[in-house]
Amino acid sequence: MSSSLRIVLSSDHAAINLRRAVAAHVTSRGHEVLDIGPETPESTHYPDHGAAAARHVTSGDCALGIVLCGTGQGIMMAANKVSGIRCGVCSDVFSARMIRAHNDANMLALGARVIGDGVALDIVDAFLDTAFEGGRHATRVDMIMALEG
């Protein structure tokens, strides 16, 4: 991956603390973070946060996005509704590598109630450090994107 990227982060109320840990980690790696998530623990709607982050990626404002909620699943589903987004939820390093290498994922979703901070940061590193392999995988990514119709 490029040495310095602009990365958007967002979450719902369930993942504020993990989002902050991810933001600090990503910043410490030399990337610019645009954190658009909530700051208070009042209940908030993950679809709004997933879609807002996804729009920063599709507009070109940010190269990649990382979104978080309790399981990662709901916010991932919301992000994927934005045309041009390929977001995968990961709870292990191998999956994070593969969504970049084989699926050219431009967003990562994490579940704050599923994984701890240490695992989350390892997943983030794998996501950021892995490049898309192209080749036969490019054909498949094109097929996925064609489904948007």
Side-chain angles (χ1 to χ4, degrees), residues 69-88:
C69 67
T71 64
Q73 299 292 344
I75 204 161
M76 178 264 307
M77 291 178 194
N80 278 322
K81 292 295 183 181
V82 175
S83 182
I85 292 300
R86 292 173 307 283
C87 183

Side-chain angles (χ1 to χ4, degrees), residues 54-121:
R55 289 186 189 104
H56 279 279
V57 174
T58 59
S59 72
D61 181 44
C62 294
L64 298 170
I66 301 172
V67 290
L68 307 89
C69 67
T71 64
Q73 299 292 344
I75 204 161
M76 178 264 307
M77 291 178 194
N80 278 322
K81 292 295 183 181
V82 175
S83 182
I85 292 300
R86 292 173 307 283
C87 183
V89 62
C90 295
S91 56
D92 63 90
V93 170
F94 177 77
S95 295
R97 281 191 202 113
M98 291 301 100
I99 66 169
R100 288 288 304 133
H102 291 187
N103 309 118
D104 198 19
N106 50 14
M107 291 187 73
L108 168 67
L110 300 169
R113 294 177 178 154
V114 178
I115 56 174
D117 289 12
V119 172
L121 300 183

Side-chain angles (χ1 to χ4, degrees), residues 5-88:
L5 302 169
R6 182 171 161 93
I7 301 167
V8 63
L9 270 69
S10 196
S11 73
D12 68 358
H13 59 281
I16 291 172
N17 291 335
L18 182 54
R19 188 189 80 239
R20 289 178 179 155
V22 169
H25 182 71
V26 170
T27 300
S28 76
R29 290 186 43 142
H31 300 295
E32 179 184 352
V33 169
L34 174 63
D35 187 339
I36 61 169
E39 295 300 322
T40 61
E42 286 81 29
S43 182
T44 186
H45 303 296
Y46 60 80
D48 293 338
H49 299 290
R55 289 186 189 104
H56 279 279
V57 174
T58 59
S59 72
D61 181 44
C62 294
L64 298 170
I66 301 172
V67 290
L68 307 89
C69 67
T71 64
Q73 299 292 344
I75 204 161
M76 178 264 307
M77 291 178 194
N80 278 322
K81 292 295 183 181
V82 175
S83 182
I85 292 300
R86 292 173 307 283
C87 183

